[in-house]
């Protein structure tokens, strides 16, 4: 009788497996609910959500905010009453706001062999750190250069942006392991986060005449930017440099 009795360890393993199966089934059932994405074509943050949905092969309805500079739709205000900004992912009767939050939600809600966030806790922490770096220090320095009142102020602020890009270059060299992306051979969470700067960087380069991504200072990021733009999950949604510039002229009345 004792030989037929299962050990506590084997019971624990079986219980864990059952819980995992239930969790996967719930995620799959939830993934069948209607999915909508509210965005605007020129938003670098909406781009993040579009790339994540594409990578996970999530069928969804895309709803364009046609004139986000002048007016916001009732659906956007209702779905994101706090910030009233795109993107917003609507999954059934749930609204998910903030682009990085949406990317993580998509990754967790639609399990697949392709994971956007790394599996190891240390790698996930690394990815989240650099994603927050992009949305914090990097975008702050980009906005500062873009908002400079004259060329002298712009050049002074450009130094801070170059320092932040140098830090990001170092992170790329460490994490890419010789691959094309921050995650190595595949696009991951950091790539999607950093991808949001591609448009704004191209705009301030055009207006200032200063190249911030250069082969002598940021060779890895320059190579990464080319590969990111050309990726099949990015190319359909990424505006051209000319389109970004035209949008910026309208936004800032240039």
């Amino acid at each position: 009788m004792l030989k037929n009795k299962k050990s506590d360890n084997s019971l624990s393993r079986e219980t864990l497996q059952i819980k995992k199966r239930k969790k996967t089934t719930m995620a799959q059932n939830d993934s069948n609910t209607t999915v909508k994405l509210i965005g605007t074509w020129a938003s670098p943050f909406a781009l993040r959500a579009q790339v994540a949905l594409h990578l996970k092969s999530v069928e969804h309805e895309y709803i364009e905010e046609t004139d986000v500079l002048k007016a916001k739709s009732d659906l956007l205000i209702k779905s994101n009453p706090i910030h009233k900004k795109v993107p917003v992912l609507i999954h059934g009767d749930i609204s998910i706001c903030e682009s990085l939050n949406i990317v993580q939600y998509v990754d967790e809600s639609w399990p697949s062999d392709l994971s956007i966030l790394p599996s190891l806790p240390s790698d996930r922490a690394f990815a989240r750190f650099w994603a927050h770096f992009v949305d914090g220090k990097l975008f702050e320095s980009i906005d500062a250069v873009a908002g400079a009142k004259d060329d002298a102020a712009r050049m002074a602020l450009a130094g801070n942006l170059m320092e932040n890009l140098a830090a990001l270059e170092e992170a790329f060299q460490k994490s890419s392991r010789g691959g094309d992306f921050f995650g190595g051979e595949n696009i991951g969470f950091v790539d999607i986060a950093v991808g949001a700067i591609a448009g704004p960087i191209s705009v301030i380069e055009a207006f200032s005449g200063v190249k911030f991504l250069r082969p002598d200072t940021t060779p890895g990021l320059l190579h990464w930017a080319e590969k990111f733009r050309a990726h099949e999950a990015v190319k359909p949604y990424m505006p051209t440099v000319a389109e970004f510039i035209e949008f910026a002229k309208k936004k800032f009345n240039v």
Side-chain angles (χ1 to χ4, degrees):
M1 290 179 66
L2 289 174
K3 290 181 179 179
N4 293 329
K5 186 177 180 180
K6 293 183 179 179
S7 68
D8 290 341
N9 287 339
S10 64
L11 286 171
S12 296
R13 284 194 295 271
E14 285 187 6
T15 302
L16 182 60
Q17 289 172 351
I18 291 170
K19 288 181 177 179
K20 284 183 177 179
R21 285 197 295 270
K22 286 182 177 179
K23 184 177 180 180
T24 301
T25 302
M26 288 173 64
Q28 290 172 344
N29 289 339
D30 287 342
S31 68
N32 292 327
T33 307
T34 301
V35 180
K36 299 178 182 180
L37 176 66
I38 307 174
T40 184
W41 67 269
S43 168
F45 303 105
L47 174 69
R48 289 173 171 173
Q50 289 175 299
V51 173
L53 290 166
H54 188 114
L55 287 172
K56 304 295 280 191
S57 300
V58 179
E59 293 186 7
H60 65 282
E61 176 188 354
Y62 176 73
I63 302 171
E64 174 77 13
E65 283 286 305
T66 55
D67 197 6
V68 73
L69 295 179
K70 294 181 180 179
K72 298 178 180 181
S73 69
D74 292 339
L75 179 61
L76 176 60
I77 295 171
K78 177 184 176 182
S79 303
N80 188 359
I82 304 299
H83 298 297
K84 302 178 180 64
K85 293 181 179 180
V86 298
V88 180
L89 184 73
I90 303 173
H91 189 191
D93 58 356
I94 300 171
S95 295
I96 299 93
C97 307
E98 300 295 322
S99 60
L100 292 178
N101 192 33
I102 290 172
V103 172
Q104 293 181 72
Y105 180 86
V106 169
D107 191 36
E108 294 169 358
S109 297
W110 285 273
S112 68
D113 292 336
L114 191 154
S115 180
I116 294 174
L117 274 159
S119 57
L120 292 177
S122 57
D123 290 341
R124 292 169 80 91
F126 176 91
R128 289 191 177 107
F129 174 86
W130 286 103
H132 286 300
F133 173 85
V134 170
D135 279 4
K137 295 191 70 173
L138 194 50
F139 261 109
E140 286 173 6
S141 57
I142 289 173
D143 291 343
V145 173
K149 295 182 179 180
D150 51 49
D151 289 343
R154 186 175 295 109
M155 293 307 297
L157 293 166
N160 187 42
L161 174 54
M162 288 178 176
E163 287 180 8
N164 288 330
L165 288 172
L168 192 62
E169 169 73 17
E170 185 177 350
F172 174 80
Q173 296 294 348
K174 288 180 179 179
S175 64
S176 63
R177 301 178 181 90
D180 292 329
F181 303 105
F182 281 87
E185 296 303 324
N186 299 311
I187 280 184
F189 188 67
V190 181
D191 298 287
I192 295 174
V194 178
I197 74 168
I201 286 286
S202 64
V203 170
I204 62 172
E205 283 184 338
F207 285 142
S208 68
V210 178
K211 283 291 182 182
F212 292 96
L213 296 182
R214 306 199 308 262
D216 58 327
T217 56
T218 55
L221 289 179
L222 190 62
H223 173 79
W224 167 87
E226 294 175 358
K227 292 295 184 180
F228 182 79
R229 285 179 179 274
H231 194 279
E232 56 92 17
V234 178
K235 193 174 181 179
Y237 318 107
M238 173 77 82
T240 65
V241 173
E243 288 171 332
F244 273 126
I245 292 172
E246 285 304 310
F247 180 80
K249 287 179 179 178
K250 290 180 182 178
K251 182 176 180 180
F252 298 108
N253 296 316
V254 177

